[in-house]
Amino acid sequence: HPLPEGLTHRDATAELIGFGSRTLQRQLLCVGSTYRDIVDAVRRKRALALLSETTMKVSEMALVLGYSTSAHFIRAFHRWSGTTPEAYRLSLDNPPSAAVP
């Protein structure tokens, strides 16, 4: 699936589900959503999971989620949550810890 792999191209996603790009756009508008809304929701959910379940660096996470730079990811995360990815991870009751050899 394109979104879980960090790919966010509307045309590729539309093709994957058997729609044209415009048809996908119209279908989403009918339910009050946009492709960008869906991408943001998937990225937000994956980011929260990665922050709470892994010790992955924010820069690596940005690439996995399809952002061109970690700065873009940090800005988006702040828009969603009002905090930075690092601050969110530190606020967790049981933040993931690096494996001890």
Side-chain angles (χ1 to χ4, degrees):
H1 302 289
L3 290 176
E5 294 173 7
L7 304 176
T8 59
H9 303 289
R10 184 180 63 204
D11 295 344
T13 301
E15 183 178 322
L16 180 71
I17 60 175
F19 285 167
S21 181
R22 283 289 298 142
T23 301
L24 175 61
Q25 192 173 14
R26 280 193 302 273
Q27 293 294 322
L28 289 171
L29 286 174
C30 285
V31 296
S33 192
T34 66
Y35 187 73
R36 178 62 32 212
D37 293 338
I38 303 296
V39 170
D40 278 349
V42 170
R43 282 177 163 172
R44 180 174 49 251
K45 183 177 179 178
R46 288 207 62 223
L48 293 173
L50 290 171
L51 286 165
S52 64
E53 298 168 6
T54 74
T55 58
M56 183 182 291
K57 293 178 181 180
V58 171
S59 58
E60 294 170 14
M61 206 176 293
L63 294 176
V64 166
L65 295 171
Y67 290 93
S68 56
T69 68
S70 57
H72 289 133
F73 167 57
I74 292 167
R75 271 196 301 278
F77 192 89
H78 193 271
R79 187 179 74 242
W80 302 327
S81 66
T83 189
T84 65
E86 296 92 343
Y88 175 82
R89 183 177 269 164
L90 289 173
S91 75
L92 298 172
D93 287 336
N94 294 309
S97 58
V100 178

